[in-house]
Amino acid sequence: MIKMLVCDFDGTISGGSSSGIDKLNHYVTRQSPLNFIVATGRTLSSIRDGLSGDNFPTPISIVSDVGTRIHHAENNQSDSHWSKHVERNWQPEQVQEAIRSLPFLGKQSNQHQSRYKITIEGQLDFAEYQELKAVLETAKIKVDLTYSHNWFLDITPKGVCKASAIRFLMNKHNIKAEEVCVAGDSANDSTMLTMEGINGILVANHYPEVAHLSDSKSIYTSKATHAEGVLEGLIHWQQLRA
């Protein structure tokens, strides 16, 4: 039985038709027990604005900023235990100092920055990406790098991502991996789509950067796009896990 559905936002449950969102909402709200969670690269304020723009299912928790923040609907508060875990090894000043000398890095728009995440916009080729990694390693700064949409580079504390945030929520709700569905469309969803034992959904409109994940037996690639693709995948996994 599927007890938790975790969805990326942009390009996954958003971006398609309103009727597709309505269908997903209608289905999800009638499944019991099924905890709905949004996991996004957006900042908290941005994802709250996004969720208010259509008839999306109401999430019990929001995982924002590429997994670095968790907020619960029950009290509208940040999860303090998760925040303490995330900030333990986060050194944003040292990161900024280390990358300052790299001329190929793009802009850091205020709208994409948050307490535990540095987001840089712009295209990076393989050599530039490797040089960035080498600079951070030389400075002995332990972080994770996530490059997605061929544009967004997210720098986050080491070991903190969508997948680690989902594991935290699974433990909180005592839910096993085989009872969880995750849906996404881009590279910043890769960590959660490839979690061991998890049931993955790759919507039809996914980016080429994650097309290789379709080869995995644990990932269902939908024929439909966006919210309708999520619903298609959810029904597929529910039937297998019934």
Side-chain angles (χ1 to χ4, degrees):
M1 178 184 295
I2 302 300
K3 297 181 180 180
M4 180 182 287
L5 172 64
V6 184
C7 293
D8 170 54
F9 188 71
D10 293 291
T12 301
I13 57 173
S14 74
S17 67
S18 291
S19 63
I21 295 170
D22 288 341
K23 290 175 185 176
L24 177 64
N25 188 8
H26 182 271
Y27 187 87
V28 168
T29 55
R30 282 158 179 75
Q31 304 304 303
S32 181
L34 181 60
N35 297 305
F36 178 67
I37 292 168
V38 171
T40 178
R42 288 194 185 205
T43 61
L44 180 65
S45 60
S46 177
I47 186 58
R48 281 177 169 164
D49 287 344
L51 287 168
S52 68
D54 218 321
N55 187 31
F56 296 102
T58 301
I60 64 164
S61 298
I62 294 175
V63 175
S64 65
D65 305 276
V66 200
T68 61
R69 301 187 73 188
I70 298 176
H71 284 74
H72 302 301
E74 60 190 16
N75 55 16
N76 202 32
Q77 296 293 318
S78 171
D79 191 299
S80 59
H81 296 290
W82 182 247
S83 294
K84 288 177 182 178
H85 167 72
V86 171
E87 68 186 7
R88 191 172 298 144
N89 298 309
W90 181 227
Q91 301 173 308
E93 295 83 8
Q94 288 89 332
V95 172
Q96 295 284 14
E97 182 62 30
I99 67 177
R100 199 183 308 278
S101 63
L102 299 176
F104 52 80
L105 291 181
K107 62 180 180 179
Q108 297 182 30
S109 301
N110 289 336
Q111 63 181 350
H112 298 307
Q113 311 309 314
S114 65
R115 185 172 181 178
Y116 306 121
K117 172 176 72 76
I118 296 171
T119 298
I120 301 170
E121 295 179 75
Q123 293 186 337
L124 288 178
D125 61 30
F126 181 76
E128 291 168 338
Y129 184 84
Q130 292 301 113
E131 184 176 349
L132 170 62
K133 285 181 63 177
V135 165
L136 291 168
E137 288 171 1
T138 299
K140 297 182 179 180
I141 298 173
K142 296 181 179 180
V143 294
D144 280 344
L145 303 176
T146 305
Y147 185 57
S148 62
H149 303 86
N150 199 31
W151 189 256
F152 292 105
L153 173 70
D154 294 309
I155 305 177
T156 54
K158 187 69 177 178
V160 177
C161 57
K162 289 185 179 183
S164 57
I166 292 168
R167 289 191 198 99
F168 178 84
L169 291 173
M170 286 166 57
N171 289 333
K172 175 182 173 66
H173 295 286
N174 195 28
I175 293 177
K176 301 174 183 177
E178 59 266 27
E179 298 172 325
V180 180
C181 270
V182 298
D185 75 318
S186 71
N188 71 27
D189 304 315
S190 294
T191 60
M192 67 177 186
L193 285 166
T194 56
M195 290 172 65
E196 185 175 355
I198 217 80
N199 305 296
I201 303 168
L202 201 58
V203 290
N205 56 292
H206 62 267
Y207 282 81
E209 62 198 28
V210 289
H212 64 283
L213 297 179
S214 292
D215 296 333
S216 172
K217 292 181 180 179
S218 64
I219 292 181
Y220 177 85
T221 304
S222 301
K223 297 178 178 63
T225 65
H226 303 95
E228 290 185 84
V230 173
L231 177 56
E232 178 188 330
L234 175 60
I235 292 173
H236 166 82
W237 287 117
Q238 279 185 319
Q239 290 174 343
L240 282 182
R241 303 303 184 198

